[in-house]
Amino acid sequence: MKGLKEFYNKYFMKQKMMHPVMFALLPIALVAIYFYGLRVLALFLLNIIVACLVEYLANAKIFKRKKISEAAIVTSCLYTMTLPPSIPFWISIVGIAFGIFFGKMVFGGFAKNVFNPALVARVFIYVNFPQQMTIYWNKAVGGFPGGFGTYLTKSLDSMTQSTPMTAFKVHSTFETIPTMLFGQIPGVIGETCKVLIIIGAIYLIYKKVASWQIMAGSVLGFCALSLVFNAMGVTSVPNPIYGMLMGGFLFGTVFMATDPVSAAKTTVGKWIYGFIIGIVTVIIRGFALFAGGVMFAVLIGNTFAPIIDYCVNKVQANKKAKSNKEVKVNG
């Protein structure tokens, strides 16, 4: 145990901000392993090892740094939770390696990336391996008492079922709200149990690690545009309650959109940034070919985050300058 601690201290940079995120993700990960079996645990471990290895090599060879950021562990866990449990191991490895290097290290490493590296990894394999990422995802193995005993290499083809999002888009059918809340549905590894995601959001807000303004803005934008489309009779957009419980919207809002590096930094900017993510998610889901949409919405939000902050700071600076000028004139 002492040797393991020494090894960790030697090769990893401690980042206290990452610890609450890990704690918030842990129950979701355990439930995912419970639902889908030990194959999910293998995916987590494999992606963590590859992410740390790629970051270490990039740091050592390019930046002459010797330590790995704990953010690499968080990134690999978040990425794993966006995958279907049946994803081939080699595709998963390709994705996380691409995301860490091209989504993070090419920008200079930790805290310098423009886009969320977990989503960069996910989008890369989503585009290049659409069949493995979009056809039919694995149903929770047997429901309760779960799938802890599932073999690592067992074929899960016989336990597949369309996700709630796919079922709505293709057949206009809905899962029940309790079913979607507690996770006994097919979907990607981390999105199924919405109750744990909501608890994780409360915990992260309490620890002041994730921005509640971004979460609230995202939910507000999502609900507002969904209600507008519902009032217009657009059948491809469900009511906001079902919409938020389908797919990865809540997971993306809580764990991806709030990434402090790639998100907006100003208070007003956080509201605008979150609102953009919410409305873009509804538009993509309702009118694009993609069943989901939140991953593209967050990346679009990442693109505009610096512009949003620049505009907010500019407006506030102009207001302050005008106020100071009026004080001088009146004085």
Side-chain angles (χ1 to χ4, degrees):
M1 196 71 180
K2 185 179 178 181
L4 183 62
K5 185 177 180 181
E6 290 176 354
F7 174 84
Y8 191 88
N9 291 335
K10 180 179 179 181
Y11 288 103
F12 286 88
M13 180 198 322
K14 289 187 177 180
Q15 298 168 301
K16 290 184 178 180
M17 194 175 186
M18 295 293 112
H19 298 173
V21 182
M22 293 180 190
F23 291 142
L25 289 173
L26 183 60
I28 303 173
L30 290 175
V31 166
I33 298 168
Y34 185 71
F35 280 167
Y36 298 114
L38 294 177
R39 193 176 196 280
V40 170
L41 177 59
L43 277 170
F44 274 112
L45 295 176
L46 190 62
N47 288 331
I48 289 171
I49 292 170
V50 173
C52 291
L53 181 61
V54 171
E55 180 162 326
Y56 176 77
L57 290 174
N59 273 332
K61 300 299 182 181
I62 301 174
F63 303 110
K64 309 304 177 184
R65 297 192 290 253
K66 298 298 183 182
K67 289 196 173 186
I68 306 162
S69 67
E70 287 182 331
I73 300 175
V74 173
T75 295
S76 60
C77 290
L78 289 172
Y79 163 74
T80 304
M81 289 183 177
T82 68
L83 303 176
S86 59
I87 190 78
F89 288 117
W90 72 270
I91 293 179
S92 180
I93 291 172
V94 169
I96 190 61
F98 182 92
I100 291 292
F101 188 77
F102 289 101
K104 180 179 179 181
M105 303 313 296
V106 296
F107 292 100
F110 175 71
K112 295 182 180 179
N113 50 285
V114 177
F115 301 101
N116 185 306
L119 286 178
V120 171
R122 212 267 184 176
V123 168
F124 178 75
I125 62 170
Y126 184 88
V127 171
N128 287 283
F129 307 101
Q131 185 174 6
Q132 291 85 346
M133 293 292 293
T134 60
I135 303 299
Y136 282 92
W137 293 337
N138 298 109
K139 185 179 180 181
V141 181
F144 292 100
F148 277 131
T150 305
Y151 298 117
L152 296 179
T153 57
K154 181 179 179 180
S155 173
L156 300 177
D157 291 341
S158 61
M159 293 179 285
T160 58
Q161 180 178 325
S162 58
T163 66
M165 185 66 65
T166 304
F168 170 73
K169 288 183 75 75
V170 177
H171 306 294
S172 298
T173 58
F174 292 97
E175 290 281 356
T176 64
I177 288 179
T179 301
M180 289 190 285
L181 276 172
F182 292 99
Q184 292 175 286
I185 52 173
V188 300
I189 290 169
E191 75 178 22
T192 55
C193 190
K194 304 302 189 296
V195 170
L196 290 180
I197 296 172
I198 295 170
I199 292 173
I202 295 170
Y203 174 72
L204 292 177
I205 292 170
Y206 170 75
K207 298 296 287 186
K208 297 181 180 179
V209 172
S211 167
W212 68 268
Q213 293 97 334
I214 291 175
M215 296 185 200
S218 184
V219 170
L220 182 63
F222 187 94
C223 291
L225 191 58
S226 293
L227 290 173
V228 169
F229 284 137
N230 290 166
M232 294 169 60
V234 178
T235 58
S236 60
V237 177
N239 74 64
I241 300 298
Y242 278 99
M244 285 189 290
L245 295 179
M246 288 179 178
F249 175 74
L250 288 181
F251 185 82
T253 294
V254 173
F255 292 103
M256 300 294 195
T258 56
D259 171 27
V261 176
S262 55
K265 310 294 188 297
T266 60
T267 301
V268 175
K270 290 175 181 178
W271 282 99
I272 299 171
Y273 169 80
F275 194 82
I276 288 173
I277 291 172
I279 63 174
V280 172
T281 300
V282 174
I283 293 170
I284 292 175
R285 282 185 175 186
F287 304 101
L289 296 175
F290 309 109
V294 68
M295 63 176 175
F296 292 111
V298 173
L299 290 174
I300 290 171
N302 292 164
T303 303
F304 286 100
I307 302 172
I308 294 169
D309 281 339
Y310 173 81
C311 292
V312 170
N313 286 328
K314 192 71 173 177
V315 169
Q316 291 177 344
N318 290 340
K319 285 184 178 180
K320 186 176 180 180
K322 184 178 179 181
S323 177
N324 291 338
K325 186 177 180 180
E326 289 177 351
V327 170
K328 289 179 179 180
V329 171
N330 294 332

